[in-house]
Amino acid sequence: MCGIIGVIDRTMSRMDGSSIKEALSLMDERGSGEGAGYVAYGIYPDYADCYAIHVFFDNLLEPKTRVDEILKQWGRIVHQEEIPTYEQPGLKKEHISWRYFFKPYTDLMIGTTDPDDDNVKHLVMHVNANIEGALIFSSGKNLGVFKAAGWPEDVANYFRIEDYKGYIWLAHNRYPTNTSGWWGGAHPFNLLDWSVVHNGEITSYGTNRRYVEGHGYQCTMLTDTEVVAYLFDLLGRRHGLPSEMVVEALAPPFWDEIDKMPPKEEEFMRTMRLTYGPALMNGPFAIVVATKDGIVGFTDRIKLRPLIVGENGSKLYLSSEEAAIRTMDPEVEKIYMPRAGEPVIGRVTE
Amino acid sequence: MSLGSVPLKYKISIDRDQCMKCMRCVDNCSYGVYRIEDDRIIIDSRKCTACHRCISMCPRDAIMLKERPVDYRSHPLWTVEAREDVINQARTGKIILAGMGNAVDYPIIFDRLVLDACQVTNPSIDPLREPMELRTYIGKKPSKLEFTKNNGDIELTTKLTPNLKLDTPIMVGHMSYGAISLPAQLSIAKAVAKTGTFMGTGEGGMHEAIYPYQDHSIVQIASGRFGVDIDYLERGAAIEIKVGQGAKPGIGGHLPGEKVCADVSCTRMIPLGSDAISPAPHHDIYSIEDLAQLVRSLKEATDWEKPVFVKIAAVHNVAAIAAGIARSDADAVVIDGFKGGTGAAPKVFRDNVGIPIEAAIAAVDQKLNDQGIRNEVSIIASGGIRNSGDLAKSIALGADAIYIGTAALIALGCRVCGNCYRGLCPWGIATQKPELVERIDPEVGAQNVANLIHGWTLELSELMGAAGLNSIESLRGNRERLRGYMLDQGLLDVLKVESVGA
Ligand code: SF4
Ligand code: SF4
């Protein structure tokens, strides 16, 4: 199960979180009250060039002191504050949500073409693997993840997400089946600019996890989805593949189809599959990934999970259910279903 | 002082009421168990090896074979075998030879690993209705894709090096002409061509009869360099350097002169009737740098058109060695576990040296992954793989493909009697005696081996479908799909597998 919905306004005009809250709540049938979350891009214009680091703290004593220390060692904390939350009768507060606006010291990460991102990636991995009582769950620029163990409306009200305005929103309602419902396990999963919502299970998780671990990522969230964020970071950012190609690596055509392609394309796909075999994802899934320039949605190669696309002018919607899209935008014009494995991409048009 | 004889191992008897005196048992037994005296079949059970040839050829099911009950004083330490080995060595002063695989009752790790299947949240995939991809490429892979963008057009700059394309991740390992008969080898060659996979020629060169199947053959270079010339290298679809073998790590090979008939001598390029001895080390490889040079020389000699594999026995530091091999220009590491079969090995090696393939695959896979190069080189596992369950588990532990040896011979009739080194194999497999060799019809043999490969392939598809996987890439190294049952924590850590229930 699980319900997902995402929207991008390609002109980058910003929408508040009220309608996505409503759309996600419509899919309560797809959840179990054990996890829901939202991510919005463009919400921190005042700190647009800082990394917005969202952390769950068990308490503000030891874990926070240790996170402060390590952040100060690797860069400058431009601003920090508790993320405002509003008590909800149906939601038990388990962590303190905190945010830092952070600028890494570029010269601390040598031997990489992307020192700031690599620095922050390293910090996320380090904190999540080593500092007990602290979990960084959002680390991109000008974006923020808000998630907790609860029903969609409770989580939305808890963070009052209608107070945030973004040009991309993703949201997720969780029905956990492979790990328990806990705050860190709720979606979206994020690393740097990549955020992922996912409906399904990744049966290739063991292989995918091993692959990203061999390239310096540590999987600490106890669930299969985080690996998708790391695969996008590895292939998309570090190897420089455009989103379509990342999707082709993760959900490639079958060999039978590849064999029938014209020689140049055949060579391309074969090379791709051989190079990125361990990144290939198996199992039933529908996934939407966002980055600051757009969103991409895709399903597994035999489409064992639903994904619906809706379009209205500059807006592109992706969801598990048409009704959710219509709730968000009753005027939506074009509704269709992509083929298995086919990426649907919405890019900002600046 | 005479030590006398040790008791016989097997007891053969004939149900005389059933027997129709067709004499097939007499004709079929190459060890001379049966003879005719005055129209009566006389049995000499002492000569029996339990090869089952007579039993399977008797039209009346009249023959009974029993393992002889222990008639020594029972003793937990001084087993029958231990005592008899001492007696035999006291008599001969020689190394005890043995055929086929390790015969000690070590626990089999494969049997303590269980595979996973989907229920409810995650649908199983039905291989009869959905595509199931077992295609496997063996060889070097790039670490990342390199390309250029020309106004939106993507041009690939990465060029793949040659890989072997397997329709199923099952290959038949190296068994040389000499160790096995030509019809046995030919059966295997035809079978792999039929099933879209590959076989190893072993270290004996390539007989002309195999030429039509050379595109499905991996030629081997062992320390003896038998049969190796440029023509041989060019015929292979890939080249394999054999450093070690699971049944006898650290020692070389020995083909007794009796098996070196005219044809074998010609194929191996050695004198007729001479012992063919491969030394333990290659005399041009004394370090990893030497190995890397040989890999490159072989590639240079064949215009960089063929993948080069390196085969080592599974020993305790196999992971570090494999990592070194992976960083040479080698395209695949072959790891042969200590349950691997052999034509002949000193028994003490076969039964005591090396480590199980399960642990070796996992350790190598992990080491290569820790170094970020796992996908750049292939791992082929062999040594005691008995069925498609073992195959699936090998892949989940990190192998790209497997070699089968004994299983393929069993498909040709072998009953694992363990007497291959005597050259009298009644099934016509491990022998060069013309009257025995002709017992294998290569067409029938090929069909049997192909059936086996096909059957395992179907089962592997089903196992993958049950685990919700439709491509072999997603099973490879996928420890999530395995659980350990009654394995100690130390071994679970090496295998990187969680316990059942976890
Ligand atoms: S093969 Fe069977 S029936 Fe024929 S002679 Fe031997 S025991 Fe008798
Ligand atoms: S190949 Fe022949 S001699 Fe060797 S074990 Fe099998 S049946 Fe016995």
Side-chain angles (χ1 to χ4, degrees), chain B residues 137-397:
Chain B
Y137 285 89
I138 300 291
K140 272 252 185 290
K141 318 278 189 299
S143 61
K144 58 186 275 207
L145 210 61
E146 306 278 357
F147 52 89
T148 53
K149 284 189 221 167
N150 286 330
N151 354 300
D153 271 1
I154 302 231
E155 284 286 333
L156 208 56
T157 45
T158 302
K159 283 276 166 270
L160 287 175
T161 54
N163 269 251
L164 292 190
K165 176 177 158 247
L166 277 55
D167 291 340
T168 175
I170 308 163
M171 296 188 281
V172 182
H174 292 261
M175 294 178 281
S176 66
Y177 175 42
I180 62 172
S181 64
L182 190 57
Q185 209 184 44
L186 195 54
S187 300
I188 294 170
K190 285 172 188 271
V192 293
K194 256 183 218 238
T195 47
T197 181
F198 294 82
M199 66 167 263
T201 59
E203 60 169 314
M206 191 191 283
H207 190 275
E208 272 178 24
I210 307 293
Y211 290 175
Y213 311 97
Q214 61 188 29
D215 292 347
H216 290 271
S217 303
I218 301 159
V219 295
Q220 194 181 53
I221 297 183
S223 57
R225 300 288 193 269
F226 302 119
V228 178
D229 62 10
I230 189 66
D231 180 55
Y232 175 65
L233 297 181
E234 272 167 2
R235 284 186 191 282
I239 301 169
E240 180 168 314
I241 302 168
K242 173 190 157 190
V243 174
Q245 185 183 346
K248 39 184 170 179
I251 60 173
H254 181 186
L255 183 73
E258 303 88 77
K259 278 182 156 183
V260 182
C261 61
D263 224 14
V264 170
S265 100
C266 188
T267 310
R268 286 213 175 198
M269 306 176 190
I270 53 172
L272 185 72
S274 66
D275 282 12
I277 298 176
S278 318
H282 286 245
H283 289 312
D284 52 357
I285 307 178
Y286 287 94
S287 65
I288 195 81
E289 298 83 353
D290 290 347
L291 174 72
Q293 271 182 15
L294 180 59
V295 171
R296 275 197 297 278
S297 317
L298 290 169
K299 291 200 166 192
E300 197 61 45
T302 50
D303 296 329
W304 296 78
E305 276 168 3
K306 294 180 196 295
V308 173
F309 307 167
V310 177
K311 172 174 166 173
I312 51 171
V315 287
H316 81 269
N317 60 337
V318 62
I321 302 164
I325 293 170
R327 290 184 182 283
S328 72
D329 278 305
D331 298 81
V333 202
V334 182
I335 313 163
D336 196 22
F338 87 148
K339 297 253 177 196
T342 179
K347 191 172 166 213
V348 67
F349 274 81
R350 187 193 72 172
D351 292 349
N352 297 287
V353 185
I355 67 167
I357 189 62
E358 302 91 324
I361 307 169
V364 170
D365 177 66
Q366 189 59 38
K367 173 73 107 196
L368 296 178
N369 200 51
D370 289 346
Q371 299 189 356
I373 54 169
R374 170 62 189 92
N375 191 47
E376 293 167 46
V377 64
S378 301
I379 298 176
I380 302 165
S382 64
I385 294 170
R386 301 157 297 168
N387 50 46
S388 60
D390 292 355
L391 159 67
K393 291 168 192 175
S394 301
I395 295 176
L397 287 170

